[in-house]
Amino acid sequence: MMRSGKETNPYKQKHDFAARSAEARRIRKKYSEQYPVIVLRGKRCKLPPLDKNKFIVSGEMTLAQFQQIIRSRSNLAASQSIFVYVENDGKFAIPETSKAIRQLYQDFGDDDGFLYLTYHHDDAFGASALEM
Amino acid sequence: MLLHIKKATFVAFLSLSLSLKNSLSNQFTSLKPIHISQTLSLYLSVSQTKSLSPLHLSASLSNQISLSLSLSFNQKPQCDGDGDARAHRGSGLPEKQRKHLPADKQYLQTRNVPCFPQEDREVEEMIVEGSDDEAWVATSIQGMTDTVDELPEEKTQTTQAPVDPDDLDDDDDIPTLEDEDYSGAAVVDDDDSGAAEETVRQLRTYDITIHYDGHYSTPRVWLRGYAASGEPLQGDEWESDFSVDHANKTVTLEQHPHLPDHWVSIHPCKHAEAMKNMMDTVSDGAALDVKYYMVIFLKFLQVIIPSISYDFTSSFQVVRQMNPEEMQAAAATGAPAAAAN
């Protein structure tokens, strides 16, 4: 697949394609029905980075549920919300949160065998209506 | 510096969205990439927070990109309204019409949207391999069943059907797209359709309407919940379906602008700001086609009401305009612009 521009995915910067696909194959073989997911922080996201960003996720977990996991690991204030999207190889998609990880992996998985998900938070989503 | 859209434009834009028949595929592979740069001058520049104009809309109209929104406009109110609230469920009260909008384009609606309760399931996490920041964390959810994640997928498939305004008749029990979805959901040729049917019966449903809020220049969303029996939810029963972060803060019970009852409303005071933020994230600072406004708005709502699976939109893809440095880099390496796929 043709790639244009600079690689901005830090995981891809750190590991070359061969290493990534070998690792992804190993995980897929070892954990059937579970999928390797790399969670990235959106470029404009002001939250501190997650301490862990490599997840082995049960295929039937929905994106909404996985979003909760990211949420709980990012120490968000109650008023902050996050949303998760796919941003990979210059492509961008916001999947339905009801989709299972298995489906996302099939639809949006990278050639290297990982599914890359990016999160972003927004204070305004959860803003109280004090200014009404 | 907020993203506002003008009233007439909003309505015209919604008409546009609804008239597009082809559904958007939810897979990268079968999607036509959208090259934003091609028609840049006609598009809304989100980063400069321009308002929408009719020019933008006619440009969008001729665009082949289609959206799949299972929303429809309200119906024309019946003149012989006898004051029965149910008679107005699909049309709004004649006396509450806004004169500057056509009678059958007062607001958008979708009905009988299933609500999947947000259960507090225990999440299990453990580090299975490695240490430090290269460790793999295995996650799973306790007591997960297949039933819940089967249904939304069926919905996704069935909502791809185009909205045909001719399908709407003037009876109260209008066979809206959503009705069909749910009768459809119960008879799908699925292995466990029995279980699925059972789940549908036990679910609350919501009617959703969206109207244009003139004060905040954004869409405003109203929801009304019904128990599995079909009776409207009473008192504060709705609160459990909204995230605790929002219930009674951004989300409150108020008089509906077109209908006789109190509905749950998401206050729009932060919509413009949140939309700008979200569109900036989506477009990464580049211009974004105005046709995405409602799709992104609906995605944004999902954050506030995760349990109500109204997601009328499929996943969608944007191929961003390249910034000037990337253009140069691409030219230098001989790569065609935006050859991401």
Side-chain angles (χ1 to χ4, degrees):
Chain A
M1 187 180 284
M2 178 65 220
R3 283 177 184 79
S4 61
K6 219 169 47 218
E7 181 55 71
T8 54
N9 178 331
Y11 191 76
K12 289 185 176 179
Q13 283 169 349
K14 203 167 162 188
H15 305 277
D16 67 20
F17 184 84
R20 295 197 313 267
S21 53
E23 174 74 343
R25 268 201 306 276
R26 188 182 66 79
I27 294 289
R28 288 287 292 120
K29 201 170 166 193
K30 185 164 171 187
Y31 305 90
S32 63
E33 277 314 293
Q34 299 188 70
Y35 298 87
V37 178
I38 308 285
V39 176
L40 306 168
R41 186 172 54 142
K43 214 182 343 181
R44 289 156 192 269
C45 181
K46 305 279 194 308
L47 296 173
L50 296 176
D51 62 333
K52 302 278 185 294
N53 66 351
K54 296 165 68 177
F55 294 89
I56 298 171
V57 186
S58 152
E60 62 192 35
M61 189 182 290
T62 62
L63 179 59
Q65 289 163 331
F66 189 62
Q67 206 161 291
Q68 276 311 115
I69 290 173
I70 300 174
R71 190 188 161 91
S72 68
R73 296 186 80 91
S74 19
N75 300 316
L76 282 185
S79 65
Q80 293 176 307
S81 302
I82 62 164
F83 72 96
V84 171
Y85 54 94
V86 180
E87 186 178 26
N88 198 21
D89 282 347
K91 288 176 286 196
F92 184 97
I94 306 178
E96 295 118 297
T97 52
S98 59
K99 277 254 157 81
I101 291 293
R102 183 190 302 109
Q103 188 67 43
L104 296 182
Y105 185 84
Q106 284 160 12
D107 293 350
F108 304 114
D110 191 87
D111 291 350
D112 64 17
F114 289 107
L115 172 64
Y116 295 94
L117 296 176
T118 310
Y119 67 96
H120 179 78
H121 84 104
D122 197 321
D123 293 333
F125 290 150
S128 73
L130 291 177
E131 299 168 33
M132 14 189 323
Chain B
M1 288 297 288
L2 301 178
L3 179 70
H4 287 167
I5 58 177
K6 292 210 171 87
K7 222 169 289 179
T9 317
F10 176 64
V11 171
F13 170 57
L14 293 176
S15 311
L16 154 74
S17 307
L18 297 173
S19 66
L20 294 166
K21 295 277 184 183
N22 299 331
S23 59
L24 190 65
S25 161
N26 57 5
Q27 300 211 2
F28 276 151
T29 47
S30 51
L31 269 180
K32 257 189 205 159
I34 303 153
H35 292 277
I36 292 175
S37 55
Q38 288 170 356
T39 40
L40 181 61
S41 59
L42 293 174
Y43 287 154
L44 167 74
S45 169
V46 176
S47 49
Q48 291 170 26
T49 62
K50 287 175 187 162
S51 299
L52 302 192
S53 74
L55 180 63
H56 295 133
L57 283 158
S58 54
S60 300
L61 267 173
S62 59
N63 197 301
Q64 290 166 6
I65 306 304
S66 56
L67 306 173
S68 164
L69 305 179
S70 69
L71 290 162
S72 58
F73 278 109
N74 61 290
Q75 296 154 278
K76 213 166 186 157
Q78 299 301 300
C79 296
D80 57 350
D82 54 3
D84 175 7
R86 290 187 62 84
H88 299 293
R89 193 175 162 198
S91 61
L93 297 169
E95 64 270 25
K96 291 197 176 184
Q97 273 186 39
R98 297 177 185 215
K99 300 293 176 226
H100 57 270
L101 295 173
D104 59 351
K105 289 194 170 44
Q106 298 277 312
Y107 59 91
L108 288 165
Q109 61 183 353
T110 185
R111 292 168 40 178
N112 303 328
V113 179
C115 173
F116 297 92
Q118 297 287 293
E119 294 161 41
D120 284 329
R121 286 191 169 123
E122 188 122 344
V123 174
E124 265 195 4
E125 290 187 19
M126 55 176 178
I127 294 177
V128 287
E129 284 184 27
S131 55
D132 64 56
D133 60 343
E134 285 288 316
W136 282 103
V137 181
T139 60
S140 60
I141 290 191
Q142 294 298 295
M144 181 125 62
T145 62
D146 273 329
T147 326
V148 172
D149 65 66
E150 292 293 328
L151 272 166
E153 292 196 19
E154 284 153 16
K155 173 168 172 54
T156 308
Q157 287 156 12
T158 48
T159 48
Q160 302 290 336
V163 178
D164 182 356
D166 299 338
D167 280 353
L168 305 171
D169 67 33
D170 47 14
D171 188 81
D172 174 55
D173 267 327
I174 319 128
T176 61
L177 180 64
E178 296 70 44
D179 291 329
E180 285 160 20
D181 279 350
Y182 289 96
S183 55
V187 295
V188 284
D189 53 340
D190 193 274
D191 291 339
D192 55 2
S193 63
E197 197 174 352
E198 194 61 29
T199 312
V200 169
R201 266 197 232 108
Q202 293 163 3
L203 291 173
R204 286 180 177 179
T205 58
Y206 275 81
D207 284 358
I208 303 177
T209 72
I210 301 177
H211 83 138
Y212 182 82
D213 186 284
H215 184 74
Y216 291 99
S217 306
T218 62
R220 179 168 185 167
V221 178
W222 300 81
L223 302 107
R224 186 166 207 225
Y226 298 87
S229 62
E231 290 300 307
L233 296 184
Q234 301 296 317
D236 57 6
E237 287 176 328
W238 59 273
E239 287 178 17
S240 60
D241 294 328
F242 292 78
S243 79
V244 286
D245 301 342
H246 300 105
N248 284 322
K249 296 183 195 111
T250 344
V251 183
T252 51
L253 198 62
E254 291 181 53
Q255 177 62 49
H256 192 284
H258 294 284
L259 293 161
D261 308 296
H262 280 70
W263 285 50
V264 180
S265 174
I266 300 170
H267 200 270
C269 58
K270 294 283 186 180
H271 281 8
E273 194 181 322
M275 279 299 293
K276 165 134 173 57
N277 202 336
M278 197 144 169
M279 289 182 93
D280 280 349
T281 301
V282 171
S283 67
D284 198 19
L288 194 64
D289 192 325
V290 63
K291 65 178 171 282
Y292 289 123
Y293 189 95
M294 277 308 285
V295 182
I296 294 175
F297 181 76
L298 294 170
K299 295 286 181 191
F300 147 63
L301 277 182
Q302 203 174 39
V303 176
I304 299 178
I305 46 173
S307 54
I308 300 171
S309 77
Y310 71 88
D311 196 349
F312 320 113
T313 63
S314 42
S315 308
F316 74 100
Q317 178 194 2
V318 176
V319 173
R320 291 166 175 158
Q321 184 197 6
M322 294 170 100
N323 65 35
E325 299 96 79
E326 282 172 341
M327 294 272 199
Q328 279 171 8
T333 58
N341 198 3

